[in-house]
Every structure is written in structure tokens, then in C-alpha cells.
Short mmCIF file of all heavy atoms in Angstrom, two decimals:
data_model
loop_
_atom_site.label_atom_id
_atom_site.label_comp_id
_atom_site.label_asym_id
_atom_site.label_seq_id
_atom_site.Cartn_x
_atom_site.Cartn_y
_atom_site.Cartn_z
N LYS A 183 -3.71 1.42 13.08
CA LYS A 183 -4.09 1.75 11.63
C LYS A 183 -4.11 3.36 11.55
O LYS A 183 -3.56 3.87 10.32
CB LYS A 183 -5.41 1.26 11.23
CG LYS A 183 -5.40 -0.46 11.31
CD LYS A 183 -6.88 -0.95 11.28
CE LYS A 183 -6.74 -2.42 11.37
NZ LYS A 183 -8.04 -3.14 11.38
N VAL A 184 -4.55 4.01 12.44
CA VAL A 184 -4.41 5.53 12.43
C VAL A 184 -2.93 6.01 12.37
O VAL A 184 -2.66 6.92 11.62
CB VAL A 184 -5.23 6.11 13.63
CG1 VAL A 184 -4.89 7.57 13.73
CG2 VAL A 184 -6.60 5.79 13.52
N ALA A 185 -2.09 5.42 13.16
CA ALA A 185 -0.68 5.79 13.14
C ALA A 185 -0.10 5.56 11.77
O ALA A 185 0.66 6.30 11.21
CB ALA A 185 0.09 4.96 14.23
N PHE A 186 -0.44 4.41 11.16
CA PHE A 186 0.12 4.00 9.89
C PHE A 186 -0.40 5.15 8.83
O PHE A 186 0.42 5.56 8.03
CB PHE A 186 -0.47 2.64 9.53
CG PHE A 186 0.03 2.17 8.13
CD1 PHE A 186 1.34 1.62 7.89
CD2 PHE A 186 -0.79 2.35 7.01
CE1 PHE A 186 1.69 1.18 6.62
CE2 PHE A 186 -0.46 1.82 5.81
CZ PHE A 186 0.81 1.28 5.58
N GLU A 187 -1.72 5.35 8.78
CA GLU A 187 -2.17 6.31 7.80
C GLU A 187 -1.68 7.70 8.05
O GLU A 187 -1.57 8.48 7.13
CB GLU A 187 -3.74 6.28 7.88
CG GLU A 187 -4.27 4.86 7.35
CD GLU A 187 -5.72 4.94 7.58
OE1 GLU A 187 -6.42 5.82 8.00
OE2 GLU A 187 -6.41 3.77 7.30
N SER A 188 -1.38 8.09 9.27
CA SER A 188 -0.97 9.55 9.53
C SER A 188 0.55 9.59 9.28
O SER A 188 0.95 10.79 9.37
CB SER A 188 -1.29 9.89 11.00
OG SER A 188 -0.72 9.14 11.93
N SER A 189 1.33 8.61 9.27
CA SER A 189 2.78 8.78 9.05
C SER A 189 3.11 9.02 7.63
O SER A 189 2.52 8.60 6.78
CB SER A 189 3.47 7.41 9.61
OG SER A 189 3.17 7.25 10.88
N ASP A 190 4.19 9.94 7.55
CA ASP A 190 4.74 10.26 6.14
C ASP A 190 5.39 9.02 5.45
O ASP A 190 5.24 8.90 4.31
CB ASP A 190 5.67 11.38 6.30
CG ASP A 190 5.10 12.58 7.10
OD1 ASP A 190 3.99 12.99 6.62
OD2 ASP A 190 5.79 13.23 7.91
N THR A 191 6.28 8.29 6.19
CA THR A 191 7.16 7.45 5.66
C THR A 191 7.11 6.13 6.49
O THR A 191 7.10 6.11 7.61
CB THR A 191 8.57 7.89 5.58
OG1 THR A 191 8.67 9.12 4.79
CG2 THR A 191 9.39 6.92 4.93
N ILE A 192 6.99 4.99 5.58
CA ILE A 192 6.92 3.63 6.24
C ILE A 192 8.17 2.83 5.98
O ILE A 192 8.66 2.82 4.81
CB ILE A 192 5.70 2.81 5.74
CG1 ILE A 192 4.47 3.72 5.58
CG2 ILE A 192 5.55 1.62 6.54
CD1 ILE A 192 3.96 4.27 6.98
N TYR A 193 8.81 2.46 7.14
CA TYR A 193 10.05 1.71 6.94
C TYR A 193 9.85 0.31 7.47
O TYR A 193 9.27 -0.02 8.38
CB TYR A 193 11.16 2.29 7.81
CG TYR A 193 12.14 3.12 7.09
CD1 TYR A 193 11.71 4.47 6.54
CD2 TYR A 193 13.38 2.75 6.76
CE1 TYR A 193 12.48 5.32 5.75
CE2 TYR A 193 14.30 3.51 6.07
CZ TYR A 193 13.81 4.85 5.50
OH TYR A 193 14.74 5.73 4.77
N PHE A 194 10.55 -0.69 6.77
CA PHE A 194 10.56 -2.07 7.00
C PHE A 194 11.98 -2.59 7.29
O PHE A 194 12.89 -1.80 7.10
CB PHE A 194 9.93 -2.79 5.88
CG PHE A 194 8.56 -2.41 5.51
CD1 PHE A 194 8.26 -1.50 4.61
CD2 PHE A 194 7.44 -3.03 6.24
CE1 PHE A 194 7.03 -1.05 4.31
CE2 PHE A 194 6.14 -2.57 5.93
CZ PHE A 194 5.94 -1.60 4.98
N GLU A 195 12.00 -3.75 7.63
CA GLU A 195 13.42 -4.45 7.78
C GLU A 195 14.00 -4.55 6.38
O GLU A 195 15.31 -4.06 6.18
CB GLU A 195 13.33 -5.78 8.49
CG GLU A 195 12.92 -5.78 9.88
CD GLU A 195 12.69 -7.05 10.46
OE1 GLU A 195 12.79 -8.02 9.72
OE2 GLU A 195 12.16 -7.21 11.61
N LEU A 196 13.40 -5.05 5.32
CA LEU A 196 13.86 -5.15 4.04
C LEU A 196 12.79 -4.51 3.08
O LEU A 196 11.68 -4.42 3.51
CB LEU A 196 14.11 -6.57 3.60
CG LEU A 196 15.30 -7.36 4.26
CD1 LEU A 196 15.16 -8.81 3.85
CD2 LEU A 196 16.58 -6.80 4.11
N ASP A 197 13.20 -4.09 1.91
CA ASP A 197 12.33 -3.55 1.01
C ASP A 197 11.59 -4.77 0.27
O ASP A 197 12.19 -5.35 -0.60
CB ASP A 197 13.14 -2.69 -0.08
CG ASP A 197 12.11 -2.00 -1.12
OD1 ASP A 197 10.99 -2.44 -1.14
OD2 ASP A 197 12.65 -1.02 -1.75
N LEU A 198 10.41 -4.99 0.67
CA LEU A 198 9.65 -6.26 0.43
C LEU A 198 9.07 -6.20 -0.99
O LEU A 198 8.54 -7.22 -1.62
CB LEU A 198 8.68 -6.55 1.37
CG LEU A 198 9.23 -6.65 2.76
CD1 LEU A 198 7.88 -6.65 3.69
CD2 LEU A 198 10.06 -7.91 3.00
N ILE A 199 9.02 -4.99 -1.66
CA ILE A 199 8.40 -4.73 -2.99
C ILE A 199 9.48 -4.55 -4.00
O ILE A 199 9.10 -4.31 -5.13
CB ILE A 199 7.26 -3.83 -3.05
CG1 ILE A 199 7.70 -2.53 -2.41
CG2 ILE A 199 6.03 -4.36 -2.27
CD1 ILE A 199 6.66 -1.47 -2.45
N ASP A 200 10.76 -4.63 -3.72
CA ASP A 200 11.80 -4.37 -4.59
C ASP A 200 12.24 -5.67 -5.25
O ASP A 200 12.71 -6.56 -4.57
CB ASP A 200 12.93 -3.72 -3.93
CG ASP A 200 14.10 -3.47 -4.89
OD1 ASP A 200 13.95 -3.57 -6.07
OD2 ASP A 200 15.28 -3.05 -4.35
N PRO A 201 12.02 -5.82 -6.60
CA PRO A 201 12.47 -7.15 -7.18
C PRO A 201 13.90 -7.53 -7.00
O PRO A 201 14.24 -8.62 -6.85
CB PRO A 201 12.19 -7.03 -8.73
CG PRO A 201 11.13 -5.91 -8.74
CD PRO A 201 11.48 -4.99 -7.53
N LYS A 202 14.85 -6.42 -6.77
CA LYS A 202 16.23 -6.71 -6.53
C LYS A 202 16.37 -7.37 -5.28
O LYS A 202 17.25 -8.25 -4.95
CB LYS A 202 16.87 -5.42 -6.62
CG LYS A 202 18.54 -5.56 -6.57
CD LYS A 202 19.22 -4.28 -6.67
CE LYS A 202 20.76 -4.53 -6.40
NZ LYS A 202 21.54 -3.27 -6.38
N THR A 203 15.56 -6.99 -4.15
CA THR A 203 15.75 -7.56 -2.84
C THR A 203 15.38 -9.10 -2.92
O THR A 203 16.08 -9.90 -2.48
CB THR A 203 14.67 -6.97 -1.94
OG1 THR A 203 15.08 -5.48 -1.65
CG2 THR A 203 14.75 -7.53 -0.50
N ILE A 204 14.33 -9.44 -3.67
CA ILE A 204 13.91 -10.76 -3.77
C ILE A 204 14.87 -11.66 -4.48
O ILE A 204 15.37 -12.81 -4.09
CB ILE A 204 12.50 -10.89 -4.62
CG1 ILE A 204 11.48 -10.12 -3.93
CG2 ILE A 204 12.07 -12.37 -4.53
CD1 ILE A 204 11.27 -10.35 -2.51
N SER A 205 15.70 -11.05 -5.55
CA SER A 205 16.52 -11.67 -6.41
C SER A 205 17.88 -11.97 -5.55
O SER A 205 18.36 -13.08 -5.50
CB SER A 205 16.78 -10.84 -7.64
OG SER A 205 18.04 -11.40 -8.29
N THR A 206 18.27 -11.07 -4.75
CA THR A 206 19.44 -11.05 -3.92
C THR A 206 19.19 -12.06 -2.87
O THR A 206 20.05 -12.89 -2.57
CB THR A 206 19.79 -9.70 -3.31
OG1 THR A 206 20.02 -8.67 -4.34
CG2 THR A 206 21.13 -9.75 -2.55
N LEU A 207 18.03 -12.14 -2.27
CA LEU A 207 17.74 -13.11 -1.28
C LEU A 207 17.75 -14.53 -1.79
O LEU A 207 18.34 -15.32 -1.10
CB LEU A 207 16.40 -12.86 -0.59
CG LEU A 207 15.95 -13.64 0.48
CD1 LEU A 207 16.82 -13.52 1.75
CD2 LEU A 207 14.48 -13.24 0.96
N SER A 208 17.20 -14.62 -2.90
CA SER A 208 17.27 -15.92 -3.66
C SER A 208 18.70 -16.39 -3.97
O SER A 208 19.01 -17.65 -3.68
CB SER A 208 16.43 -15.99 -4.95
OG SER A 208 16.52 -17.17 -5.54
N ASN A 209 19.52 -15.45 -4.53
CA ASN A 209 20.89 -15.87 -4.86
C ASN A 209 21.69 -16.13 -3.73
O ASN A 209 22.63 -17.20 -3.66
CB ASN A 209 21.50 -14.74 -5.47
CG ASN A 209 20.97 -14.46 -6.91
OD1 ASN A 209 20.45 -15.34 -7.54
ND2 ASN A 209 21.09 -13.25 -7.55
N CYS A 210 21.46 -15.60 -2.54
CA CYS A 210 22.30 -15.82 -1.32
C CYS A 210 22.09 -17.19 -0.62
O CYS A 210 22.72 -17.67 0.16
CB CYS A 210 22.22 -14.71 -0.22
SG CYS A 210 20.91 -14.95 0.89
N GLN A 211 20.88 -17.69 -1.09
CA GLN A 211 20.39 -19.05 -0.61
C GLN A 211 21.21 -20.18 -1.29
O GLN A 211 21.12 -21.40 -0.76
CB GLN A 211 18.89 -19.23 -0.63
CG GLN A 211 18.19 -18.25 0.20
CD GLN A 211 16.76 -18.44 0.07
OE1 GLN A 211 16.21 -19.42 -0.38
NE2 GLN A 211 16.00 -17.48 0.58
N MET A 212 21.76 -19.89 -2.43
CA MET A 212 22.24 -21.02 -3.29
C MET A 212 23.63 -21.30 -3.02
O MET A 212 24.59 -20.59 -2.57
CB MET A 212 22.16 -20.50 -4.79
CG MET A 212 20.80 -20.16 -5.30
SD MET A 212 19.80 -21.69 -5.26
CE MET A 212 18.12 -20.92 -5.47
N LEU A 213 23.93 -22.75 -3.32
CA LEU A 213 25.22 -23.37 -3.12
C LEU A 213 26.12 -22.75 -4.25
O LEU A 213 25.58 -22.11 -5.19
CB LEU A 213 25.24 -24.72 -3.33
CG LEU A 213 24.69 -25.65 -2.09
CD1 LEU A 213 24.27 -26.97 -2.64
CD2 LEU A 213 25.58 -25.74 -1.04
N PRO A 214 27.48 -22.74 -4.09
CA PRO A 214 28.44 -22.35 -5.10
C PRO A 214 28.08 -22.88 -6.46
O PRO A 214 27.62 -24.02 -6.47
CB PRO A 214 29.72 -22.62 -4.51
CG PRO A 214 29.66 -22.76 -3.07
CD PRO A 214 28.08 -23.20 -2.85
N GLN A 215 28.31 -22.18 -7.41
CA GLN A 215 28.03 -22.65 -8.87
C GLN A 215 28.67 -24.08 -9.08
O GLN A 215 29.71 -24.30 -8.73
CB GLN A 215 28.73 -21.67 -9.96
CG GLN A 215 28.23 -22.01 -11.29
CD GLN A 215 26.83 -21.66 -11.50
OE1 GLN A 215 26.24 -20.81 -10.97
NE2 GLN A 215 26.16 -22.46 -12.38
#
């Protein structure tokens, strides 16, 4: 927790709070139209 709080920038595998990420993830799961 100290390391998290003292770090300038936090990186994740995916941007979990970006609506575009969620939308793209949902679309890629779908069968062709």
C-alpha cells in the first residue's frame, strides 16, 4: 500500500475505467452480425 501511494503512475494490463475498453471487449466477444 505504501508503494502504491508513493508511486507517480499506476499501470494495469488494460485501462479498466475507460468505457471504450469495456465496449471493445464486449464487441470482440460477439459472433459476426
Side-chain angles (χ1 to χ4, degrees):
K183 298 171 184 177
V184 169
F186 178 82
E187 291 174 6
S188 66
S189 297
D190 303 315
T191 303
I192 316 300
Y193 259 72
F194 302 91
E195 293 172 3
L196 293 175
D197 187 344
L198 303 171
I199 52 179
D200 178 12
K202 185 179 177 182
T203 297
I204 306 304
S205 173
T206 305
L207 184 60
S208 176
N209 289 337
C210 90
Q211 297 179 14
M212 296 299 165
L213 287 162
Q215 191 65 34

